[in-house]
Amino acid sequence: MSEKIIIDPVTRIEGHAKISIYLDDSGQVSDARFHVTEFRGFEKFCEGRPFWEMPGITARVCGICPVSHLLASAKAGDRLLSVTIPQAAEKLRRLMNLGQIVQSHALSFFHLSAPDFLLGMDSDPQKRNVFGLIAAEPELARGGIRLRQFGQEIIEILGGKKIHPSWAVPGGVREPLTEAGRTHIQKRIPEARNTTINAISTFKQILNDYQKEAQTFGNFPSLFMGLVTPEGLWENYDGHLRFVDSAGNIIADKLDASRYHEFIGEAVQPDSYLKSPYYRPLGHPEKDGHCSLDSGIYRVGPLARLNVCSHIGTPLADAELREFRDRGKGTVTSSFFYHYARLIEILASIERIEILLDDPDILSTRLRADAGINQLESVGVSEAPRGTLFHFYQIDEDGLIQKANLIIATGQNNLAMNRTVAQIARHFIHGPEIPEGMLNRVEAGIRAFDPCLSCSTHAVGQMPLHVELVGVDGTVMNEVWRD
């Protein structure tokens, strides 16, 4: 008799989702699915709004990464105006995006995932949270909180507030960086850098205790996509798109984001509100298809960015990148290493922040390019912490949005997340028993991607979970509650 396990909700992620795990007659996992259970409809209710408002509106998509939508939207607006923004404005946008990467990655690693690593995948779920981490590792937890604060302060100094700053606009930015603001950020860099270096060292030490997870958490062939500079360096704001395969071969390069529809298809699943983008030239993988190099599944985000770039371009991060690739023997295919990649990106961001702040142009007040509507369609692309973000706008002659399409990083990882939960479930689930540590490993496989489904929050200190084992006739065979 086939059965089904339901994990609802998935905890320590941004948003609402559940996981279904299907068992065959012998009790072995036959399939697993990751379902996003919330619907918000931003693309539809933006219709009819002036495109000038879009950066401020779409920043409200998410309370964790509003800067990502702010910048992608403003860049789409730049293209509608057909302007090149002042160099100082671009540098300031880059600075805010680097602050966003630092704060978001710090939240993911220290607050959401570190309890699994440092307290144990099988530890008491009542203590396996940020408060348990503070009790067990107070210095590391404090460093993580301070590191996130550092990134948030950069956003606040530039945009006026930490969440939803209406600062980047079509044509540039609203306000300059002050000398006092630059000095404040510079004073905090040494502490942020030391915290990150210590966290990388800690993670490398605990990797020896998680070899099984590293081998089974989303470790399969796929494509990887991200922005790179014309020279192939790690990029987070501009550049062109590159796809590489699991062997490190560049299969598509110098792709123009405005032609995204030529190489990215968007599929819809009946059991999830999250779209499933795929690499169009290789096609959408069939449900029962295998993970292989001839599949259109691709991954984005920190793991992908480190796989697609030739190097980062800053000394400390490049040294860590070399060791990262040595551990992965080239292209790193295990999604467990998303955590490692996040820490390296924090370090790279801190180094880039320091370089930008030393640029004399960073205090310039020449920040806006003025123009009228010159294009009726545009695409803005930027690297959000979780991966490449696309904003497509179609407007009328009055500048009102006729159509909007947002391709978010979490959606682009959707097919890979489904493969990941299936791989973990097949490895750890055998028979009708539901060990708590197994449930947590399945959830942790999703947390590796740090999915951002909305700006929803969870109850402080709570990890609610209800799992049912259901027979084909609908009978509940077994269930587990986590309060």
Side-chain angles (χ1 to χ4, degrees):
M1 178 182 294
S2 60
E3 299 169 335
K4 179 170 70 173
I5 300 172
I6 300 175
I7 302 177
D8 184 10
V10 180
T11 59
R12 280 187 276 139
I13 63 172
E14 292 87 12
H16 304 289
K18 69 177 183 178
I19 296 170
S20 296
I21 302 171
Y22 303 89
L23 308 181
D24 61 20
D25 293 341
S26 63
Q28 302 302 305
V29 173
S30 61
D31 196 10
R33 295 285 301 161
F34 175 67
H35 317 277
V36 176
T37 57
E38 61 179 316
F39 176 76
R40 307 185 71 211
F42 261 84
E43 296 169 330
K44 196 64 180 174
F45 65 64
C46 285
E47 292 178 6
R49 305 305 305 176
F51 80 91
W52 297 96
E53 296 180 355
M54 291 299 285
I57 291 174
T58 58
R60 269 73 180 173
V61 171
C62 176
I64 301 299
C65 46
V67 169
S68 304
H69 292 283
L70 180 76
L71 295 181
S73 183
K75 291 182 71 177
D78 299 341
R79 287 176 173 264
L80 292 174
L81 301 177
S82 298
V83 297
T84 300
I85 69 172
Q87 288 188 356
E90 179 183 329
K91 291 171 184 176
L92 288 172
R93 285 183 182 181
R94 286 181 175 275
L95 181 60
M96 181 177 274
N97 202 36
L98 292 167
Q100 166 66 19
I101 290 172
V102 170
Q103 74 89 9
S104 181
H105 281 357
L107 172 66
S108 173
F109 182 82
F110 291 95
H111 294 69
L112 304 182
S113 291
D116 292 327
F117 309 140
L118 298 176
L119 304 181
M121 294 280 183
D122 301 296
S123 60
D124 181 357
Q126 298 299 323
K127 298 179 180 178
R128 195 174 56 228
N129 51 50
V130 67
F131 296 107
L133 184 65
I134 290 171
E137 299 282 350
E139 287 304 312
L140 184 138
R142 179 180 181 275
I145 292 169
R146 293 274 296 170
L147 184 60
R148 186 178 185 223
Q149 181 189 53
F150 170 68
Q152 288 178 312
E153 285 184 349
I154 293 174
I155 297 169
E156 184 177 31
I157 287 169
L158 291 172
K161 52 185 179 179
K162 297 175 183 177
I163 301 175
H164 307 321
S166 297
W167 174 75
V169 293
V173 301
R174 293 183 185 275
E175 299 290 339
L177 173 65
T178 65
E179 181 65 56
R182 177 169 71 171
T183 300
H184 180 85
I185 298 169
Q186 287 173 324
K187 286 181 178 179
R188 295 218 45 194
I189 287 176
E191 179 192 352
R193 182 170 51 235
N194 290 338
T195 296
T196 307
I197 290 171
N198 290 338
I200 291 173
S201 177
T202 298
F203 187 78
K204 287 190 288 192
Q205 291 172 14
I206 65 175
L207 271 176
N208 293 328
D209 298 326
Y210 290 95
Q211 291 299 311
K212 184 181 294 186
E213 286 77 9
Q215 290 298 316
T216 57
F217 277 40
N219 190 12
F220 50 78
S222 78
L223 305 178
F224 298 92
M225 185 194 77
L227 289 173
V228 294
T229 70
E231 299 76 29
L233 271 69
W234 179 79
E235 180 58 282
N236 62 84
Y237 172 80
D238 211 355
H240 60 254
L241 291 164
R242 171 182 287 178
F243 282 86
V244 303
D245 64 21
S246 295
N249 302 307
I250 298 175
I251 66 167
D253 202 8
K254 295 182 171 54
L255 297 174
D256 181 355
S258 66
R259 304 170 70 89
Y260 75 91
H261 57 279
E262 296 179 2
F263 50 87
I264 294 178
E266 297 180 78
V268 177
Q269 263 69 47
D271 56 1
S272 178
Y273 282 118
L274 190 61
K275 291 185 289 188
S276 299
Y278 59 95
Y279 182 58
R280 188 181 291 276
L282 293 182
H284 184 272
E286 296 298 326
K287 182 175 182 235
D288 298 326
H290 61 288
C291 299
S292 67
L293 294 178
D294 59 359
S295 165
I297 292 179
Y298 67 95
R299 284 176 269 186
V300 296
L303 182 68
R305 287 190 288 259
L306 295 193
N307 278 334
V308 302
C309 72
S310 60
H311 56 293
I312 292 174
T314 58
L316 296 178
D318 271 328
E320 293 296 341
L321 178 62
R322 287 191 290 271
E323 183 174 347
F324 175 83
R325 288 176 170 171
D326 286 343
R327 288 175 178 267
K329 297 179 174 58
T331 301
V332 181
T333 59
S334 171
S335 295
F336 189 79
F337 281 80
Y338 265 101
H339 305 296
Y340 193 174
R342 277 187 196 96
L343 294 175
I344 295 174
E345 285 202 326
I346 293 175
L347 185 58
S349 296
I350 293 170
E351 290 184 286
R352 291 279 182 91
I353 288 168
E354 189 168 27
I355 293 169
L356 278 172
L357 292 176
D358 287 336
D359 189 325
D361 198 35
I362 203 69
L363 298 179
S364 172
T365 57
R366 187 176 181 84
L367 303 174
R368 294 283 293 273
D370 295 320
I373 297 170
N374 289 295
Q375 302 289 338
L376 298 182
E377 287 189 2
S378 71
V379 176
V381 63
S382 185
E383 285 290 343
R386 291 155 185 84
T388 317
L389 173 66
F390 297 84
H391 278 223
F392 165 79
Y393 301 152
Q394 185 181 81
I395 63 173
D396 64 14
E397 295 288 349
D398 296 319
L400 302 182
I401 297 291
Q402 302 301 295
K403 181 180 179 181
N405 187 33
L406 278 58
I407 305 180
I408 62 169
T410 297
Q412 293 173 85
N413 281 329
N414 195 18
L415 293 171
M417 288 191 290
N418 276 282
R419 290 289 172 91
T420 295
V421 296
Q423 186 180 55
I424 295 171
R426 288 189 180 105
H427 187 84
F428 288 100
I429 299 176
H430 303 285
E433 295 301 318
I434 315 175
E436 198 283 331
M438 175 278 295
L439 301 179
N440 188 50
R441 283 174 171 82
V442 176
E443 289 187 87
I446 292 297
R447 285 194 289 270
F449 291 88
D450 190 25
C452 195
L453 311 178
S454 74
C455 53
S456 301
T457 57
H458 298 288
V460 176
Q462 301 267 332
M463 294 174 60
L465 178 68
H466 178 208
V467 179
E468 291 182 330
L469 196 62
V470 183
V472 291
D473 59 354
T475 303
V476 176
M477 312 294 293
N478 194 0
E479 62 182 334
V480 173
W481 289 89
R482 180 192 288 160
D483 297 318

